[in-house]
């Protein structure tokens, strides 16, 4: 009898142990072996990111040095925040910061707004061939470099042979010196950015529209909604996650000229010094300071200032979007 009781207790104890969840973690090596194919596919992209983006980050110490290329990073003299002090006391800091923020806010509003409108209009084209043609046409400028765009713009704005001035002279007006008046470039640069980039964002929005179920539109037709109401009440709200994601990605690049594409500000004005008040941004200022003054420390200080502010903008923008739509936030 006692043996039966002991056996029963032993089985009960064993069963209770089996029912408890195991919390044993999988070793990293076992995880790598289990998913070796996936990690092998990820390896080229990971190495590219490490080599191109992370290894150069060690060079940030140049911002705190009186850098000498001959002595290198280890041999150059440390001067602390002297480069930053000179930067923040410079009269150009306010100008380049204002221009960078001013243009990129306009780029976000016009770029995403017009791209959304273009995607909705293209979606209304029932002919698939024509729809593909229009997508290709608006995407074509995105594939061109700013060097090509510079020559195209110059053919329109040239003082003596520009198409616009030729038309003005034919109509009896005086030709306009486009490359001598900074005010004009407050409008020319946003127009050039929209011309080149709106097609790229429009294609992204168009891909998002194809993922919207047709049941929503059929139900709206039954309720008597017209095309405009369908776009306003169905398409735009359902594209909100894509819009917020693009907005968040661009918000982190507000402190970068044309989201890193500084050729817009460098090539299009053709290095006209009289236009610097309207065309000089942080990226072009860094490039010119490195090219003309050969000041590596100052250039690195400006770049570090730019990156820190961009990081803060990403965190703040992500926090705001997370409050609005948790699923659309990056982290």
């Amino acid at each position: 009898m006692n043996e039966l009781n002991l056996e029963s207790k032993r089985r009960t104890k064993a069963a209770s142990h089996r029912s408890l969840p195991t919390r044993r973690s999988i070793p990293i090596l076992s995880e790598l072996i289990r998913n070796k194919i996936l990690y092998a596919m990820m390896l080229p992209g990971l190495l590219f990111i490490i080599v191109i983006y992370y290894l150069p980050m060690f060079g940030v110490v140049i911002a705190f040095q009186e850098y000498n290329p001959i002595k290198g990073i280890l041999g150059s003299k440390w001067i602390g925040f002297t480069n930053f002090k000179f930067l923040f006391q410079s009269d150009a800091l306010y100008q380049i910061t204002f221009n960078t923020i001013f243009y990129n806010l306009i780029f976000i509003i016009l770029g995403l707004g017009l791209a959304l409108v273009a995607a909705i209009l293209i979606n209304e084209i029932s002919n698939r061939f024509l729809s593909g043609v229009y997508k290709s046409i608006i995407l074509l400028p995105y594939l061109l470099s700013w060097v090509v765009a510079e020559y195209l713009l110059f053919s329109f704005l040239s003082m003596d042979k520009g198409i616009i001035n030729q038309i003005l002279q034919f109509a009896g007006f005086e030709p306009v010196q486009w490359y001598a008046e900074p005010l004009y470039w407050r409008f020319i640069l946003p127009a050039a950015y929209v011309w080149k980039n709106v097609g790229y964002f429009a294609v992204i929005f168009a891909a998002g529209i194809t993922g919207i179920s047709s049941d929503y539109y059929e139900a709206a037709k039954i309720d008597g909604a017209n095309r405009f109401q369908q776009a306003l009440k169905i398409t735009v709200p359902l594209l909100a996650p894509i819009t917020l994601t693009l907005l968040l990605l661009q918000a982190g690049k507000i402190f970068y000229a044309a989201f890193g594409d500084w050729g817009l500000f460098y090539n299009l004005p053709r290095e006209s010094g009289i236009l610097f008040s309207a065309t000089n941004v942080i990226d072009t200022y860094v490039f010119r300071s490195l090219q003309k003054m050969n000041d590596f420390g100052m250039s690195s200080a400006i770049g570090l200032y730019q990156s820190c502010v961009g990081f803060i903008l990403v965190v703040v923008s992500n926090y705001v979007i997370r409050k609005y739509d948790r699923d659309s936030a990056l982290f």
Side-chain angles (χ1 to χ4, degrees):
M1 191 69 178
N2 292 333
E3 291 179 358
L4 291 175
N5 291 335
L6 290 174
E7 181 66 18
S8 176
K9 290 180 180 180
R10 186 184 64 79
R11 290 180 178 179
T12 303
K13 186 175 181 181
S16 64
H17 279 295
R18 286 195 300 269
S19 63
L20 290 175
T22 58
R23 298 184 178 181
R24 185 174 54 186
S25 60
I26 301 176
I28 296 178
L29 184 60
S30 300
E31 174 69 16
L32 292 174
I33 295 174
R34 178 179 300 180
N35 299 301
K36 57 181 177 296
I37 297 178
L38 296 177
Y39 285 109
M41 294 172 61
M42 183 183 70
L43 186 60
L46 185 62
L47 291 176
F48 175 82
I49 293 175
I50 292 174
V51 173
I52 300 300
Y53 292 100
Y54 283 93
L55 289 181
M57 291 178 66
F58 293 102
V60 75
V61 298
I62 297 177
F64 305 94
Q65 293 180 329
E66 187 178 344
Y67 181 72
N68 188 329
I70 299 177
K71 297 180 180 179
I73 295 179
L74 298 179
S76 297
K77 179 182 177 182
W78 287 85
I79 57 175
F81 292 93
T82 303
N83 288 325
F84 293 92
K85 182 179 179 181
F86 181 80
L87 170 65
F88 285 103
Q89 290 178 347
S90 173
D91 296 334
L93 179 65
Y94 168 78
Q95 182 189 84
I96 62 176
T97 302
F98 171 79
N99 286 341
T100 305
I101 297 176
F102 171 77
Y103 285 119
N104 283 297
L105 287 177
I106 294 178
F107 294 162
I108 290 176
I109 297 172
L110 289 181
L112 296 183
L114 294 178
L116 180 59
V117 173
I120 293 174
L121 293 177
I122 292 175
N123 185 63
E124 295 298 321
I125 302 174
S126 56
N127 190 307
R128 296 183 61 182
F129 175 76
L130 289 179
S131 177
V133 170
Y134 290 139
K135 289 179 183 177
S136 301
I137 291 174
I138 65 174
L139 186 62
L140 180 61
Y142 181 76
L143 304 177
L144 301 177
S145 69
W146 284 118
V147 177
V148 176
E150 172 194 351
Y151 288 101
L152 290 175
L153 184 65
F154 186 72
S155 67
F156 281 91
L157 303 183
S158 176
M159 178 63 185
D160 51 351
K161 297 181 180 180
I163 297 175
I164 295 179
N165 279 335
Q166 292 288 338
I167 296 174
L168 291 176
Q169 288 179 329
F170 180 79
F173 297 97
E174 291 293 328
V176 179
Q177 296 184 1
W178 300 101
Y179 290 91
E181 179 54 54
L183 180 61
Y184 298 144
W185 291 85
R186 295 289 185 188
F187 303 94
I188 294 174
L189 292 176
Y193 175 84
V194 169
W195 167 79
K196 190 175 188 299
N197 292 281
V198 73
Y200 170 75
F201 295 114
V203 170
I204 295 177
F205 283 123
I209 292 176
T210 58
I212 300 176
S213 175
S214 59
D215 296 339
Y216 294 107
Y217 298 101
E218 293 176 0
K221 290 179 182 178
I222 295 174
D223 292 336
N226 56 34
R227 293 280 189 174
F228 177 78
Q229 291 172 331
Q230 292 175 31
L232 188 63
K233 300 296 183 179
I234 298 176
T235 307
V236 174
L238 291 180
L239 288 178
I242 297 177
T243 306
L244 291 175
T245 301
L246 290 175
L247 180 63
L248 182 58
L249 293 174
Q250 307 307 336
K253 301 178 181 179
I254 284 180
F255 258 61
Y256 291 83
F259 308 132
D261 201 354
W262 59 272
L264 168 64
F265 297 95
Y266 184 79
N267 292 106
L268 261 61
R270 302 179 67 87
E271 277 293 89
S272 178
I274 197 172
L275 301 178
F276 281 177
S277 61
T279 62
N280 202 15
V281 290
I282 295 178
D283 289 87
T284 56
Y285 184 79
V286 172
F287 181 77
R288 291 189 185 104
S289 64
L290 183 60
Q291 184 186 43
K292 298 178 180 180
M293 296 186 296
N294 202 28
D295 194 339
F296 292 90
M298 176 61 65
S299 302
S300 299
I302 300 172
L304 182 58
Y305 158 72
Q306 189 179 22
S307 300
C308 290
V309 177
F311 173 75
I312 294 173
L313 288 174
V314 169
V315 174
V316 173
S317 302
N318 185 81
Y319 175 78
V320 174
I321 292 178
R322 190 180 182 86
K323 290 291 183 181
Y324 175 76
D325 186 2
R326 187 181 183 89
D327 295 332
S328 299
L330 292 180
F331 50 88

